Amino acid sequence: MSGVGKGIAAASIGKILQSKGFKVTAVKIDPYLNVDAGTMNPVEHGEVFVTVDGDETDQDIGNYERFLNMDIYRDNYMTSGRVYQSVINRERNLEYGGKCVEAVPHIPMEVISRIDRAAEKANAEIVIIEIGGTVGEFQNVLYLEAARMLKFKNPGDVAFVMVSYLPVPSKIGEMKTKPTQMAVRAVNEVGIQPDFLLCRSTHSLDAPRREKLAMFCNVRPENVISAPDVDSIYDIPINFEKEDLGNKILKILQIDPRQQDLVEWRAFVDKINAATEIVKIGIVGKYFESGDFILSDAYISVIESLKFAAWENNRKPEIEWINSDVYEKDPAKISELSNYDCLVVPGGFGSRGIEGKIAAIRFARENKIPYLGLCYGMQLATIEFARHACGLSDAHTTEINPHTLNPVIHIIPEQAEKMANKQYGNTMRLGAYPCILKEGSLAREIYQQERISERHRHRYEFNLAYKQKLEEHGLVFSGTSPDGELIEIIELPKDQHPFFVGVQFHPELKSRPLSPHPLFVGLIKAGLK
Ligand code: GLN
């Protein structure tokens, strides 16, 4: 079932097997018809994660990258839209040699060939494959068929892990196993027998329920694994290992572990637990509501990056989401921002709440609160500086005001053409691009490198016509594309502000537990000072 923790379970299993000495990669299968996640609303679907090679994927790819501490590529992300598109293209090219092309077996065969390709590209010995959605629904049945075919062809090479949710209805106070029994029956119907059950619940699994699940789901009792809610998702690999999950999976795959597991990971988790002193971080953005619920997954990479950076600085992060609309309705409230050690304005699109964000950035700049602007947060910092430090009072981005006399942020020329042709899918400036850092700048000091590579997802950019003017008033353009045509980083001089940095890219997509991103680490460090 979606949202129950399949992604983290998959990433954790990957981590465990990787730490036992195997080359691992992970594949995400999303059954929807969108070709990628780029055209989906992040409020409903969660963050759009961008890979090095510019794919706009589900946030689980981000979980895999963070847990496995490696880059995951386009080939590792599959949607029904993508799978059908390639089968249909192949049919149009007469590549099926005159055969009738059918949902079965051609779709599952395409799925399997994509899995093979991902494995080959990553040179992986073990591939973790996460099938999204819920067992029994129409849209993932062809993926389950692909999984069945895989096991049929390679019986000793495939292990099935089913993640199931066991409710504890509050009025009854007892963990119910029946939905899981029914779900196992539903996968049995498509020819799959789980080797493991990961029992997600608010509570740990007790002995009687383990026995019952084993008996009625046809799974060995030692392979019925308890997966209760935890405070930190980073505990999950360790919790699974308490039940020896890694070795049990390897046994089914008929291979022996090569080394002791999770050594570095345990040190990382110890560091989390040792951090007790707080660092207070404010993220200024717009509010995300869906009916009665507030969904926070839209910025998962930003939030996790801030946590890694806090832990790296031996601090416990206290992260608050600040609704920028508030400062538009009640400007006096802005002074509450003094309560934070540092502030972030993350990426975004559209006009809602942006004047509030600009006000927050101004407050951070004038009151010397460490500030990191990510993509839109960089563009809005530029606008703020142009308006209030250079006197260009109507400075804006043409995304919001196409008629401004001072378009300090404007559309990238190729992007204008794509928008005019309504080509929205996978057409932004996407993926990793190099950036050169200016000697003597804060950015250069933070990265300790002259040339960096960071991931992008945007249509607008800094308008070079304003570079000189903004420089004259003290803004530093400390990172540019190698040809100098695109501004990648802006900052204030170190003697004027402890940390005021805006980046056109998304460093949050590269920050990982075992290698936190230097920009976030630098922000927190400045905040603590
Ligand atoms: N809306 C801005 C652009 O398209 C910023 C995008 C972002 O923050 N990812 O350029």
Side-chain angles (χ1 to χ4, degrees):
M1 181 169 81
S2 123
V4 83
K6 287 190 303 293
I8 298 296
S12 297
I13 291 173
K15 184 78 227 168
I16 292 168
L17 299 179
Q18 182 192 55
S19 73
K20 286 180 188 287
F22 298 95
K23 281 210 77 162
V24 169
T25 192
V27 168
K28 174 77 198 274
I29 298 176
D30 273 328
Y32 42 69
L33 282 172
N34 302 59
V35 172
D36 57 44
T39 52
M40 271 184 275
N41 181 348
V43 177
E44 284 161 35
H45 184 73
E47 170 186 87
V48 178
F49 191 82
V50 182
T51 59
V52 182
D53 53 354
D55 201 9
E56 297 176 283
T57 73
D58 181 76
Q59 59 179 346
D60 275 327
I61 298 288
N63 288 323
Y64 303 161
E65 287 206 357
R66 285 187 283 273
F67 275 69
L68 299 176
N69 203 13
M70 62 190 268
D71 291 342
I72 303 275
Y73 296 93
R74 187 179 286 271
D75 283 333
N76 292 49
Y77 178 54
M78 229 184 284
T79 65
S80 295
R82 195 167 278 197
V83 170
Y84 275 85
Q85 201 173 47
S86 41
V87 170
I88 291 168
N89 286 344
R90 208 169 303 134
E91 184 277 329
R92 293 288 78 186
N93 299 340
L94 258 183
E95 287 177 44
Y96 288 101
K99 282 214 162 62
C100 174
V101 183
E102 298 186 86
V104 177
H106 295 105
I107 297 294
M109 279 164 71
E110 168 66 20
V111 172
I112 293 172
S113 80
R114 281 170 174 260
I115 292 168
D116 287 341
R117 208 158 70 216
E120 217 168 281
K121 183 148 185 187
N123 206 3
E125 296 165 288
I126 301 175
V127 187
I128 312 294
I129 304 154
E130 179 189 349
I131 302 181
T134 306
V135 159
E137 66 185 352
F138 290 143
Q139 53 175 359
N140 61 15
V141 72
L142 294 177
Y143 298 106
L144 297 176
E145 175 65 359
R148 185 197 65 76
M149 283 163 65
L150 258 184
K151 176 107 174 176
F152 179 75
K153 283 194 199 152
N154 322 277
D157 289 345
V158 178
F160 287 124
V161 180
M162 180 149 144
V163 183
S164 187
Y165 193 74
L166 290 99
V168 184
S170 60
K171 290 282 184 287
I172 305 167
E174 182 204 339
M175 183 186 285
K176 305 303 280 182
T177 62
K178 203 64 119 204
T180 299
Q181 295 180 41
M182 293 296 130
V184 170
R185 236 178 242 183
V187 271
N188 286 164
E189 274 174 24
V190 293
I192 291 176
Q193 171 58 50
D195 297 297
F196 295 89
L197 288 181
L198 291 188
C199 300
R200 286 282 301 113
S201 184
T202 47
H203 294 65
S204 298
L205 198 64
D206 60 2
R209 276 153 202 85
R210 189 185 299 259
E211 287 302 323
K212 200 172 183 180
L213 286 166
M215 174 61 77
F216 297 116
C217 301
N218 210 17
V219 175
R220 303 213 51 76
E222 65 274 19
N223 290 355
V224 180
I225 308 288
S226 175
D229 289 348
V230 284
D231 289 335
S232 161
I233 53 170
Y234 302 107
D235 287 336
I236 292 174
I238 295 172
N239 287 353
F240 283 168
E241 274 306 76
K242 286 184 188 147
E243 300 209 31
D244 205 22
L245 178 60
N247 288 336
K248 289 175 183 169
I249 292 176
L250 289 179
K251 199 167 155 201
I252 294 202
L253 300 178
Q254 302 170 19
I255 34 183
D256 293 322
R258 293 184 185 143
Q259 65 188 40
Q260 211 202 336
D261 64 348
L262 296 177
V263 178
E264 273 181 298
W265 196 264
R266 286 178 209 274
F268 158 67
V269 170
D270 288 345
K271 206 171 163 110
I272 298 181
N273 294 331
T276 49
E277 248 181 280
I278 286 189
V279 57
K280 242 184 132 183
I281 308 158
I283 306 181
V284 186
K286 54 187 179 191
Y287 232 41
F288 290 109
E289 288 155 350
S290 164
D292 291 340
F293 299 92
I294 293 171
L295 309 173
S296 64
D297 270 359
Y299 285 103
I300 180 170
S301 292
V302 176
I303 291 169
E304 296 311 302
S305 299
L306 287 165
K307 291 184 192 167
F308 306 151
W311 293 325
E312 181 70 12
N313 281 291
N314 302 309
R315 287 295 192 284
K316 188 183 164 94
E318 197 176 286
I319 302 173
E320 256 175 66
W321 190 266
I322 303 163
N323 180 9
S324 62
D325 286 343
V326 171
Y327 305 136
E328 293 175 8
K329 288 182 200 120
D330 184 0
K333 270 207 147 171
I334 198 91
S335 60
E336 72 182 18
L337 293 177
S338 313
N339 297 331
Y340 296 91
D341 295 310
C342 47
L343 294 171
V344 171
V345 170
F349 296 83
S351 62
R352 186 154 64 92
I354 71 160
E355 289 303 326
K357 290 187 208 173
I358 292 173
I361 297 167
R362 180 179 194 176
F363 191 85
R365 181 173 62 81
E366 292 180 345
N367 294 282
K368 304 200 190 309
I369 302 172
Y371 170 75
L372 179 60
L374 307 169
C375 203
Y376 214 16
M378 172 268 200
Q379 297 175 355
L380 297 176
T382 309
I383 293 166
E384 188 283 312
F385 190 84
R387 285 187 189 174
H388 306 118
C390 310
L392 305 172
S393 60
D394 75 332
H396 222 316
T397 162
T398 55
E399 179 175 354
I400 307 304
N401 179 2
H403 308 297
T404 174
L405 293 177
N406 288 298
V408 290
I409 304 294
H410 65 175
I411 195 156
I412 303 174
E414 313 85 84
Q415 291 295 328
E417 207 180 301
K418 286 172 184 157
M419 301 264 288
N421 296 330
K422 292 200 155 73
Q423 294 168 322
Y424 294 114
N426 206 240
T427 56
M428 283 188 239
R429 182 169 180 250
L430 288 166
Y433 287 94
C435 163
I436 307 295
L437 303 179
K438 190 176 181 154
E439 181 101 57
S441 65
L442 179 60
R444 179 83 169 254
E445 190 183 299
I446 286 171
Y447 276 95
Q448 302 268 312
Q449 269 172 348
E450 188 193 352
R451 191 187 168 97
I452 57 165
S453 169
E454 292 281 1
R455 300 184 200 176
H456 296 70
R457 183 172 190 253
H458 62 120
R459 289 191 202 279
Y460 296 80
E461 60 165 333
F462 178 72
N463 181 350
L464 284 178
Y466 289 89
K467 185 163 180 269
Q468 199 184 341
K469 175 128 188 146
L470 268 58
E471 266 172 346
E472 280 164 14
H473 286 84
L475 196 66
V476 178
F477 294 88
S478 54
T480 63
S481 56
D483 63 5
E485 292 292 314
L486 291 170
I487 298 300
E488 294 279 9
I489 310 180
I490 58 155
E491 62 183 60
L492 285 177
K494 286 175 276 180
D495 56 355
Q496 281 176 35
H497 195 291
F499 190 107
F500 188 90
V501 179
V503 293
Q504 182 57 82
F505 46 82
H506 291 277
E508 70 272 21
L509 302 175
K510 276 184 79 171
S511 196
R512 295 164 185 171
L514 301 183
S515 52
H517 195 289
L519 274 175
F520 290 93
V521 176
L523 172 76
I524 304 286
K525 199 168 274 160
L528 294 174
K529 271 197 202 141

